[in-house]
mmCIF file of all heavy atoms in Angstrom:
data_model
loop_
_atom_site.group_PDB
_atom_site.id
_atom_site.type_symbol
_atom_site.label_atom_id
_atom_site.label_comp_id
_atom_site.label_asym_id
_atom_site.label_seq_id
_atom_site.Cartn_x
_atom_site.Cartn_y
_atom_site.Cartn_z
ATOM 1 N N CYS P 72 -11.629 6.468 7.377
ATOM 2 C CA CYS P 72 -12.257 7.723 6.968
ATOM 3 C C CYS P 72 -11.992 8.793 8.032
ATOM 4 O O CYS P 72 -12.193 8.545 9.222
ATOM 5 C CB CYS P 72 -13.752 7.497 6.774
ATOM 6 S SG CYS P 72 -14.671 9.013 6.486
ATOM 7 N N VAL P 73 -11.517 9.987 7.594
ATOM 8 C CA VAL P 73 -11.194 11.043 8.568
ATOM 9 C C VAL P 73 -12.458 11.628 9.192
ATOM 10 O O VAL P 73 -12.388 12.300 10.222
ATOM 11 C CB VAL P 73 -10.352 12.181 7.937
ATOM 12 C CG1 VAL P 73 -9.013 11.657 7.468
ATOM 13 C CG2 VAL P 73 -11.100 12.852 6.796
ATOM 14 N N ASP P 74 -13.609 11.389 8.577
ATOM 15 C CA ASP P 74 -14.859 11.939 9.121
ATOM 16 C C ASP P 74 -15.565 10.953 10.042
ATOM 17 O O ASP P 74 -15.901 11.287 11.171
ATOM 18 C CB ASP P 74 -15.794 12.365 7.991
ATOM 19 C CG ASP P 74 -15.360 13.702 7.385
ATOM 20 O OD1 ASP P 74 -14.462 14.343 7.964
ATOM 21 O OD2 ASP P 74 -15.901 14.089 6.339
ATOM 22 N N CYS P 75 -15.827 9.709 9.557
ATOM 23 C CA CYS P 75 -16.616 8.776 10.364
ATOM 24 C C CYS P 75 -15.736 7.709 11.021
ATOM 25 O O CYS P 75 -16.207 6.981 11.891
ATOM 26 C CB CYS P 75 -17.719 8.134 9.519
ATOM 27 S SG CYS P 75 -17.105 7.011 8.254
ATOM 28 N N GLY P 76 -14.461 7.611 10.611
ATOM 29 C CA GLY P 76 -13.549 6.673 11.250
ATOM 30 C C GLY P 76 -13.673 5.241 10.764
ATOM 31 O O GLY P 76 -12.920 4.371 11.201
ATOM 32 N N GLN P 77 -14.616 4.986 9.869
ATOM 33 C CA GLN P 77 -14.762 3.625 9.355
ATOM 34 C C GLN P 77 -13.696 3.326 8.311
ATOM 35 O O GLN P 77 -13.179 4.231 7.662
ATOM 36 C CB GLN P 77 -16.154 3.442 8.733
ATOM 37 C CG GLN P 77 -17.239 3.348 9.792
ATOM 38 C CD GLN P 77 -18.610 3.115 9.174
ATOM 39 O OE1 GLN P 77 -18.710 2.708 8.027
ATOM 40 N NE2 GLN P 77 -19.644 3.381 9.948
ATOM 41 N N ARG P 92 -11.456 9.940 2.860
ATOM 42 C CA ARG P 92 -12.815 9.705 3.349
ATOM 43 C C ARG P 92 -13.442 8.532 2.614
ATOM 44 O O ARG P 92 -13.069 8.242 1.478
ATOM 45 C CB ARG P 92 -13.700 10.928 3.091
ATOM 46 C CG ARG P 92 -13.304 12.161 3.856
ATOM 47 C CD ARG P 92 -14.243 13.302 3.507
ATOM 48 N NE ARG P 92 -13.912 14.512 4.250
ATOM 49 C CZ ARG P 92 -13.032 15.402 3.812
ATOM 50 N NH1 ARG P 92 -12.426 15.229 2.666
ATOM 51 N NH2 ARG P 92 -12.767 16.460 4.543
ATOM 52 N N CYS P 93 -14.430 7.898 3.261
ATOM 53 C CA CYS P 93 -15.243 6.915 2.568
ATOM 54 C C CYS P 93 -16.061 7.667 1.509
ATOM 55 O O CYS P 93 -16.163 8.894 1.552
ATOM 56 C CB CYS P 93 -16.149 6.165 3.547
ATOM 57 S SG CYS P 93 -17.406 7.200 4.322
ATOM 58 N N LEU P 94 -16.615 6.906 0.578
ATOM 59 C CA LEU P 94 -17.295 7.533 -0.548
ATOM 60 C C LEU P 94 -18.428 8.451 -0.085
ATOM 61 O O LEU P 94 -18.590 9.566 -0.584
ATOM 62 C CB LEU P 94 -17.833 6.444 -1.487
ATOM 63 C CG LEU P 94 -18.065 6.853 -2.939
ATOM 64 C CD1 LEU P 94 -16.840 7.519 -3.531
ATOM 65 C CD2 LEU P 94 -18.430 5.619 -3.761
ATOM 66 N N ALA P 95 -19.210 7.998 0.893
ATOM 67 C CA ALA P 95 -20.362 8.776 1.363
ATOM 68 C C ALA P 95 -19.902 10.119 1.940
ATOM 69 O O ALA P 95 -20.479 11.169 1.634
ATOM 70 C CB ALA P 95 -21.141 7.987 2.405
ATOM 71 N N ASP P 96 -18.842 10.091 2.765
ATOM 72 C CA ASP P 96 -18.367 11.337 3.376
ATOM 73 C C ASP P 96 -17.658 12.218 2.354
ATOM 74 O O ASP P 96 -17.704 13.447 2.453
ATOM 75 C CB ASP P 96 -17.439 11.025 4.553
ATOM 76 C CG ASP P 96 -18.240 10.587 5.780
ATOM 77 O OD1 ASP P 96 -19.330 11.146 6.002
ATOM 78 O OD2 ASP P 96 -17.774 9.687 6.491
ATOM 79 N N GLN P 97 -16.999 11.596 1.371
ATOM 80 C CA GLN P 97 -16.357 12.379 0.321
ATOM 81 C C GLN P 97 -17.418 13.165 -0.455
ATOM 82 O O GLN P 97 -17.246 14.345 -0.753
ATOM 83 C CB GLN P 97 -15.578 11.467 -0.633
ATOM 84 C CG GLN P 97 -14.812 12.226 -1.721
ATOM 85 C CD GLN P 97 -13.773 13.170 -1.125
ATOM 86 O OE1 GLN P 97 -13.036 12.786 -0.224
ATOM 87 N NE2 GLN P 97 -13.710 14.391 -1.620
HETATM 88 ZN ZN1 LIG A 201 -16.790 8.210 6.317
#
Side-chain angles (χ1 to χ4, degrees):
C72 172
V73 297
D74 282 351
C75 68
Q77 286 182 18
R92 295 179 179 88
C93 66
L94 204 51
D96 283 323
Q97 183 61 46

